Amino acid sequence: MNLNIKQSFIFLGLGALVGLSIYLFFLPYAYLVKFKSEHSPLSIYSFVHQNVIETEEWQDKLHMTQVIETENEQDINLFWEIEYDGEISEIKIKIIFTENQWIEKLKILVLNADLFDSTLTRIKDIYKELNEDIESFDWATPKNGQLNGSDCLCVDLKSTFKEKPRMMNEHVDHLAYYAQNVSNRSPRLYISSINFLEQSFSYSFCFPVNHRLKQKALPEDYFYKKQPSIGTTSIDFYGNFASTYRYWAHLYDSLKLDNKEIKYPIVEEFLDSPFSGKDDKEWHSKLYF
């Protein structure tokens, strides 16, 4: 073997050693996962928010730290970076071991990394859930649209996004009964605020009424209100009414790209009944904003 070949092997060996040292002792994460999603950043956040300990929006990206608990009581941090162009989210997830990181990195290199494998499986499960969820609803292109004002029978509510179906079910029969809604006009949610980080919102659940039919004494929390005309834009949403917050997140994230914010109230009008017999992917509602 001549001198040049020996020198090449020496330089390659030194380069590999330096690279290994940088990876083991200086790189702040053990592994980087990349993928894309049609969900907007705050919609993605809703899939993992229970385990998120920190969120921050900077450089037009959503950053969040998700904590994964493991059987051996060693927490693993997933540092998410999500960049959105209005249609597609580019996602990067850095896997950070909170204990003995250089040892766990070494296990990855020798293909004997149970902790890493289980973490990667968790990420794959999230990815699968994101893809399955995006197939469960659809919305049309926004268009000019306004919901006319109406006299309504309402109840004020506050809940998490996930509690929305339960809260509506608790009140829908009573509202319909006291509204005496002979014209069969569609019920509505008048949303006054949304807290995406807490996954909660405040709203009035209302049935349009004909005031000539006000005959019954109302329960304590129910009231009549003249709701004003709402919105300059509307979209048709098709899917389970529990999923409409996906569009709220899309609306927030899309407006943010133009340095704009949601102007409240926004309104959801439910044009189908959950008892219509239709598949819930076909349920039709309309959002005005």
Side-chain angles (χ1 to χ4, degrees):
M1 185 179 294
N2 61 41
L3 182 61
N4 288 336
I5 294 176
K6 288 183 179 179
Q7 287 177 335
S8 297
F9 276 113
I10 290 172
F11 283 125
L12 286 172
L14 288 174
L17 186 61
V18 170
L20 178 62
S21 298
I22 291 173
Y23 171 67
L24 291 178
F25 303 109
F26 296 100
L27 193 69
Y29 57 90
Y31 197 81
L32 177 64
V33 178
K34 297 181 181 180
F35 60 88
K36 298 180 181 181
S37 175
E38 294 181 46
H39 282 285
S40 72
L42 283 175
S43 185
I44 295 169
Y45 167 80
S46 69
F47 286 85
V48 298
H49 73 96
Q50 298 96 332
N51 303 112
V52 170
I53 60 172
E54 186 177 14
T55 60
E56 187 177 10
E57 290 179 298
W58 53 280
Q59 296 182 341
D60 296 325
K61 299 175 184 178
L62 176 64
H63 299 82
M64 57 188 184
T65 302
Q66 178 191 5
V67 178
I68 300 295
E69 296 180 352
T70 62
E71 293 181 356
N72 65 359
E73 299 182 354
Q74 177 186 161
D75 292 341
I76 298 170
N77 290 341
L78 302 183
F79 184 76
W80 293 66
E81 180 183 283
I82 308 173
E83 186 173 9
Y84 187 55
D85 64 4
E87 295 183 3
I88 299 295
S89 289
E90 299 270 357
I91 302 160
K92 297 178 182 178
I93 304 176
K94 296 175 181 176
I95 300 176
I96 302 171
F97 296 99
T98 57
E99 298 177 21
N100 303 318
Q101 175 148 245
W102 74 271
I103 295 177
E104 296 300 334
K105 288 179 177 180
L106 194 58
K107 289 180 179 179
I108 293 173
L109 294 176
V110 300
L111 304 178
N112 186 28
D114 292 341
L115 198 56
F116 168 74
D117 291 342
S118 63
T119 302
L120 200 57
T121 297
R122 296 279 289 272
I123 294 174
K124 289 178 179 178
D125 289 342
I126 295 171
Y127 176 74
K128 180 181 178 182
E129 188 178 358
L130 287 168
N131 287 340
E132 290 177 347
D133 186 80
I134 204 73
E135 297 296 327
S136 68
F137 59 84
D138 193 16
W139 58 68
T141 302
K143 59 187 178 183
N144 293 334
Q146 184 180 66
L147 182 65
N148 293 330
S150 176
D151 292 319
C152 291
L153 176 64
C154 303
V155 58
D156 284 340
L157 302 170
K158 183 175 182 178
S159 72
T160 65
F161 298 166
K162 297 294 187 182
E163 291 174 329
K164 173 186 172 185
R166 179 181 65 81
M167 298 296 288
M168 291 178 63
N169 285 335
E170 283 184 6
H171 291 278
V172 63
D173 289 338
H174 284 88
L175 282 171
Y177 172 74
Y178 286 103
Q180 302 179 53
N181 197 356
V182 294
S183 58
N184 199 31
R185 295 162 70 189
S186 301
R188 308 158 178 190
L189 290 189
Y190 289 82
I191 300 168
S192 57
S193 67
I194 302 173
N195 187 322
F196 288 100
L197 294 184
E198 294 183 2
Q199 296 287 284
S200 64
F201 69 121
S202 299
Y203 53 105
S204 296
F205 186 21
C206 299
F207 269 69
V209 297
N210 182 337
H211 266 186
R212 291 173 299 173
L213 297 177
K214 285 199 303 182
Q215 298 174 355
K216 297 180 173 65
L218 298 178
E220 182 179 353
D221 294 336
Y222 288 16
F223 58 92
Y224 289 104
K225 181 177 180 179
K226 175 69 175 180
Q227 295 286 9
S229 298
I230 298 292
T232 58
T233 308
S234 68
I235 67 108
D236 292 288
F237 185 95
Y238 299 92
N240 194 299
F241 299 149
S243 300
T244 55
Y245 68 94
R246 301 290 183 214
Y247 188 80
W248 309 347
H250 167 78
L251 180 61
Y252 175 92
D253 286 319
S254 297
L255 289 173
K256 188 176 181 297
L257 293 174
D258 296 323
N259 295 314
K260 297 178 181 179
E261 297 180 347
I262 294 175
K263 292 183 179 179
Y264 297 101
I266 61 176
V267 181
E268 294 186 350
E269 182 181 28
F270 304 105
L271 302 175
D272 276 323
S273 167
F275 308 104
S276 63
K278 290 184 178 180
D279 188 290
D280 63 357
K281 290 178 65 173
E282 300 176 2
W283 294 358
H284 183 197
S285 57
K286 206 173 186 74
L287 285 76
Y288 297 87
F289 53 95

